[in-house]
């Protein structure tokens, strides 16, 4: 039996990645409610949040089925069990706390396991903090890339951002409130203080706020208004403008960064990303520079 267009096919097992509201429960679709009620198994990142969502939707999760926890701490151990359920013919619905499972949330391992076993995977589309932040940022959205959470350690974060300094596409990041100031500083260092960006927080919620401006201004805002740096944050940063490389200036930039205390290898990599001049050439140029 084949399903009509837009109608779920319940023949055989299937993994359903179900997007949940990122804030306002009214953004949930009727299809999400139907999937939660009709699943054989609902795997949830937080079962308490699932219960609150189902209460708002007026449904009982997995009525006649099971509700299981599936989060960062048990994802590896629980994946084989859930993949086996799909292989045995169950309809397994996976939900995370907000947005689409596997996008900076648990789910990738389960998708990988089900696909490797020849199983079927589908999804219930829904709200996305990435797409909403892009839409309201005021920055170009014709081409973009999603980078998730920047590394937590300062050195790792600086290196990761340096590698993105010459990226021409609009960049989207997630960040925790207590790390926002440090990340904005690192972005200003890597991308330039004048790079346009937007801090989008608490999207679709009562205190939704979008602050737009150069990275330097956003950094000042985060320092002067710590009371507003709360909730879930999505950062959108404009891509790099194409520039004609000046090898002499690139070498001078490396020298200045090294003299300021940066490791030569990191300085060469960062300036290479910004200018297009070979990192190896910049490294060698500094090592063999004339000295008086």
């Amino acid at each position: 039996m084949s399903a009509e267009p837009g109608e779920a096919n319940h023949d055989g097992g299937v993994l359903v990645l179900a997007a949940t509201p990122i804030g306002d429960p009214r953004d949930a679709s009727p299809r999400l409610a139907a999937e939660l009620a009709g699943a054989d198994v609902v795997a949830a990142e937080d079962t308490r949040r699932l219960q609150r969502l189902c209460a708002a939707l007026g449904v009982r999760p997995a009525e006649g089925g099971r509700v299981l926890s599936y989060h960062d701490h048990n994802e590896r151990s629980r994946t084989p069990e859930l993949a086996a359920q799909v292989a045995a013919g169950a309809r397994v619905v996976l939900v995370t706390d907000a947005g689409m499972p596997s996008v900076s949330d648990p789910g990738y391992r389960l998708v990988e396991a089900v696909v490797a076993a020849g199983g079927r995977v589908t999804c219930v589309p829904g709200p996305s903090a990435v797409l909403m932040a892009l839409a309201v940022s005021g920055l170009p959205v014709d081409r973009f890339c999603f980078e998730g959470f920047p590394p937590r350690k300062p050195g790792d974060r600086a290196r990761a951002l340096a590698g993105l300094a010459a990226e021409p596409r609009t960049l989207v990041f997630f960040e925790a409130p207590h790390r926002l100031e440090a990340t904005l500083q690192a972005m200003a260092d890597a991308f330039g203080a004048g790079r346009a960006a937007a801090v989008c927080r608490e999207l679709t919620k009562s205190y939704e706020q979008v602050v737009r401006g150069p990275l330097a201004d956003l950094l000042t805002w985060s320092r002067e208004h710590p009371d507003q740096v709360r909730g879930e944050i999505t950062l959108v940063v404009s891509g790099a403008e194409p520039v004609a490389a000046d090898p002499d200036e690139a070498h001078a930039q490396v020298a200045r960064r090294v003299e300021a205390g940066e490791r030569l290898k990191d300085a060469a990599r960062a300036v290479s990303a910004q200018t297009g001049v070979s990192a190896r050439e910049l490294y060698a140029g500094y090592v063999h520079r004339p000295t008086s």
Side-chain angles (χ1 to χ4, degrees), residues 134 139-147 163-173 191 195-196 236-242:
L134 280 165
L139 299 173
V141 297
D142 54 330
R143 298 177 67 229
F144 66 90
C145 56
F146 173 59
E147 292 293 327
L164 294 169
E167 171 57 61
R169 295 171 294 180
T170 298
L171 300 158
V172 185
F173 302 85
F191 303 154
R195 183 81 71 91
V236 185
V237 184
S238 63
E241 294 289 340

Side-chain angles (χ1 to χ4, degrees), residues 69-152:
S69 64
Y70 188 76
H71 46 69
D72 287 335
H73 302 295
N74 71 357
E75 184 179 10
R76 188 178 298 275
S77 62
R78 184 146 277 176
T79 289
E81 174 189 353
L82 292 173
Q85 293 274 352
V86 173
R91 192 171 191 86
V92 176
V93 174
L94 175 62
V95 293
T96 49
D97 290 347
M100 180 63 70
S102 82
V103 180
S104 282
D105 280 331
Y108 170 72
R109 284 194 178 96
L110 182 54
V111 173
E112 184 181 39
V114 172
V115 170
R120 191 160 66 93
V121 180
T122 187
C123 81
V124 176
S128 165
V130 173
L131 296 180
M132 182 173 176
L134 280 165
V136 302
S137 69
L139 299 173
V141 297
D142 54 330
R143 298 177 67 229
F144 66 90
C145 56
F146 173 59
E147 292 293 327
F149 284 90
R152 297 186 181 188

Side-chain angles (χ1 to χ4, degrees), residues 141-231:
V141 297
D142 54 330
R143 298 177 67 229
F144 66 90
C145 56
F146 173 59
E147 292 293 327
F149 284 90
R152 297 186 181 188
K153 294 182 179 179
D156 294 341
R157 181 169 55 226
R159 284 187 287 274
L161 294 176
L164 294 169
E167 171 57 61
R169 295 171 294 180
T170 298
L171 300 158
V172 185
F173 302 85
F174 289 156
E175 191 49 288
H178 63 280
R179 290 194 295 271
L180 179 63
E181 181 181 332
T183 294
L184 288 171
Q185 180 66 70
M187 288 180 171
D189 293 341
F191 303 154
R195 183 81 71 91
V199 176
C200 309
R201 71 178 196 92
E202 296 291 82
L203 294 174
T204 78
K205 300 176 184 176
S206 300
Y207 295 99
E208 176 179 310
Q209 182 181 27
V210 180
V211 186
R212 306 174 183 87
L215 284 167
D217 291 357
L218 296 180
L219 179 58
T220 300
W221 166 80
S222 71
R223 289 170 174 165
E224 294 180 350
H225 301 279
D227 57 311
Q228 295 183 26
V229 183
R230 298 178 180 176

Side-chain angles (χ1 to χ4, degrees), residues 6-44:
E7 178 184 345
N9 185 341
H10 291 267
D11 292 344
V14 62
L15 171 63
V16 182
L17 306 175
T20 57
I22 59 176
D24 193 330
R26 292 174 299 178
D27 292 334
S29 68
R31 185 179 165 204
L32 173 61
E35 289 287 359
L36 290 172
D40 298 306
V41 179
V42 174

